[in-house]
Amino acid sequence: MKHLSVLIKPTSGLCNIRCAYCFYANVTSLREVESYGRMKKDVAEKMIAQIFIDLVDGDQLTLAFQGGEPTIAGLPYFRRIKELVDEQTKHKAVTVHYSIQTNGMVINDAWCQFLKENNFLVGLSIDGHPMYHDLHRLDTKGKGTFHRVIRTKHLFDQYEIDYNVLCVLTNPLAKSAKKVYQFLQKENIQYVQFIPCLNELGEEKRSSYALTPERFASLYHQILRFWLAELEVGTYRSIKFFDDVFHLATRRQVNACGLIGNCQLQYVIEADGSVYPCDFYMLDECRLGYIQEQSLKELFEQDLSRTFLCDKPALSNFCQTCPFLESCHGGCKRMRDSMYLSSEEDFCGYQTFLKDFLPKLQTIDQLVRAI
């Protein structure tokens, strides 16, 4: 039995807001074709059929939708995807899960009914605090979007939809750990994932919002204190990074790509059917082929796929003397300068975090078991 997870970009880079730090807008700007628009019906039909080719009885499949902004594809697109899955001869023998990441701008009652009925796990983008959210997440008229997104969050609560909050960890936001945590408490957000804000691909000059390893370490040091204080009074809030490191340290369970320095194939499909090994590198030179022409297994058995997995930057002298080298191996190559090595290569945000977190493992385990 295997679990196959496929990331689908049904609207390519199209989006109804203009986030200043959007890594995908940066990636698409480096391609010959920036956006492939909305996925056509024939591409969607062939895509689902090709995905199912490699599945057998007992397998699990996760179809995850991301953008750009995937809801721009419209509810009819997602209803058709569900129909296409149900039309596959193997669909009753395969467990299918659905997820979607959204900025929440167009979510209404009809969307909520669909998401609830089909058990979608939703990632809702909220940048931790109204002030910081509206600093970078602007609509097409240049206005902040926080009030509309928080309305969507309350709709999800009303419909009891499973969701987690995705918070882009910018350098300015990382200075305000207490405000961010108080916001999580105020809004009763039980599941949150902090996503390091990346500098533009290939750019040496850092943007004002790109996270640095120093700020990464500082924020998580403070968040850990607030999180432990809640655990001690019997309240568990899922911080994905804490969960990932805990499971890695106690069970050798890898739940996040790049955490141990090895790339994992992500099976990413663009709106035109082109397939890539990683969401961070959906570049022309990394295109493996087209789902309309080959199955995922065929596409990922190519030399280009193996080359991508093996292409890793050389470890610095600092990394080679790190006490956590055997479990980290340099970490995710795309996040190298946002959460790992400083520009001077004399400080690692992840190393600093591990020195803070790992001595508390036994205490954390006991507190979690007691809840």
Side-chain angles (χ1 to χ4, degrees), residues 27 71 101 114 116 180 193 224 234 248-249 253 276 365 369:
V27 169
T71 59
Q101 182 173 338
F114 173 81
K116 182 65 177 178
V180 170
Q193 178 179 356
L224 180 59
L248 177 64
Q253 183 177 324
Y276 305 81
D365 188 40
R369 288 176 183 273

Side-chain angles (χ1 to χ4, degrees), residues 78-180:
F78 288 93
R79 290 194 177 107
R80 181 56 181 152
I81 289 291
K82 181 65 169 58
E83 290 173 356
L84 290 170
V85 168
D86 292 344
E87 289 170 5
Q88 303 303 309
T89 55
K90 300 178 185 177
H91 89 273
K92 291 185 178 180
V94 173
T95 302
V96 182
H97 310 277
Y98 299 95
S99 69
I100 186 171
Q101 182 173 338
T102 178
N103 59 31
M105 296 293 286
V106 303
I107 299 296
N108 55 21
D109 290 293
W111 271 102
C112 286
Q113 290 165 7
F114 173 81
L115 296 171
K116 182 65 177 178
E117 288 169 3
N118 295 285
N119 299 310
F120 268 70
L121 172 63
V122 182
L124 179 63
S125 296
I126 307 177
D127 277 359
H129 185 274
M131 180 179 71
Y132 291 106
H133 183 101
D134 282 346
L135 184 63
H136 293 119
R137 301 186 67 84
L138 309 176
D139 65 17
T140 55
K141 296 181 180 178
K143 296 181 179 180
T145 59
F146 177 81
H147 66 288
R148 277 175 281 182
V149 178
I150 204 67
R151 186 171 60 200
T152 292
K153 186 264 180 194
H154 295 156
L155 264 181
F156 288 163
D157 290 334
Q158 177 185 330
Y159 278 87
E160 298 182 337
I161 289 169
D162 290 332
Y163 72 94
N164 55 67
V165 164
L166 298 159
C167 174
V168 177
L169 189 51
T170 61
N171 225 35
L173 184 144
K175 294 187 296 184
S176 299
K178 186 174 183 180
K179 287 183 178 179
V180 170

Side-chain angles (χ1 to χ4, degrees), residues 256-274:
C257 181
L259 197 61
I260 58 172
N262 296 324
C263 290
Q264 298 171 344
L265 295 177
Q266 293 187 6
Y267 306 108
V268 190
I269 304 177
E270 251 285 10
D272 68 331
S274 54

Side-chain angles (χ1 to χ4, degrees), residues 129-341:
H129 185 274
M131 180 179 71
Y132 291 106
H133 183 101
D134 282 346
L135 184 63
H136 293 119
R137 301 186 67 84
L138 309 176
D139 65 17
T140 55
K141 296 181 180 178
K143 296 181 179 180
T145 59
F146 177 81
H147 66 288
R148 277 175 281 182
V149 178
I150 204 67
R151 186 171 60 200
T152 292
K153 186 264 180 194
H154 295 156
L155 264 181
F156 288 163
D157 290 334
Q158 177 185 330
Y159 278 87
E160 298 182 337
I161 289 169
D162 290 332
Y163 72 94
N164 55 67
V165 164
L166 298 159
C167 174
V168 177
L169 189 51
T170 61
N171 225 35
L173 184 144
K175 294 187 296 184
S176 299
K178 186 174 183 180
K179 287 183 178 179
V180 170
Y181 209 85
Q182 287 175 337
F183 172 77
L184 298 178
Q185 293 173 317
K186 175 178 177 291
E187 287 295 334
N188 194 28
I189 293 169
Q190 296 300 310
Y191 300 89
V192 62
Q193 178 179 356
F194 294 106
I195 304 173
C197 185
L198 304 175
N199 200 38
E200 293 187 351
L201 195 61
E203 287 290 331
E204 292 186 10
K205 184 179 179 180
R206 296 189 67 82
S207 66
S208 62
Y209 43 77
L211 185 67
T212 63
E214 293 87 351
R215 289 274 176 85
F216 169 90
S218 173
L219 176 121
Y220 272 112
H221 173 72
Q222 295 175 73
I223 290 289
L224 180 59
R225 288 193 294 111
F226 303 141
W227 185 71
L228 284 171
E230 284 198 302
L231 277 184
E232 288 169 356
V233 296
T235 299
Y236 178 76
R237 193 179 312 278
S238 174
I239 309 290
K240 188 176 187 301
F241 186 62
F242 292 168
D243 295 345
D244 290 342
V245 175
F246 180 84
H247 291 140
L248 177 64
T250 59
R251 306 175 189 172
R252 304 303 300 169
Q253 183 177 324
V254 181
N255 294 330
C257 181
L259 197 61
I260 58 172
N262 296 324
C263 290
Q264 298 171 344
L265 295 177
Q266 293 187 6
Y267 306 108
V268 190
I269 304 177
E270 251 285 10
D272 68 331
S274 54
V275 180
Y276 305 81
C278 176
D279 189 27
F280 290 145
Y281 293 95
M282 296 183 70
L283 303 164
D284 293 339
E285 58 266 32
C286 296
R287 185 191 302 119
L288 301 177
Y290 294 85
I291 195 66
Q292 303 95 305
E293 300 168 1
Q294 295 174 280
S295 70
L296 287 175
K297 183 179 179 181
E298 292 169 335
L299 288 164
F300 281 86
E301 285 179 343
Q302 299 177 79
D303 289 341
L304 181 58
S305 179
R306 287 188 284 271
T307 299
F308 177 83
L309 290 177
C310 296
D311 181 24
K312 297 171 59 177
L315 290 176
S316 68
N317 291 333
F318 187 86
C319 286
Q320 292 180 36
T321 60
C322 177
F324 308 112
L325 176 61
E326 291 305 310
S327 60
C328 170
H329 298 285
C332 172
K333 59 186 177 184
R334 185 64 178 93
M335 294 189 181
R336 181 183 176 93
D337 62 354
S338 62
M339 62 177 278
Y340 297 97
L341 274 183

Side-chain angles (χ1 to χ4, degrees), residues 214 316 318 340-348 351:
E214 293 87 351
S316 68
F318 187 86
Y340 297 97
L341 274 183
S342 64
S343 56
E344 294 79 15
E345 297 191 349
D346 60 357
F347 175 86
C348 175
Q351 181 195 89

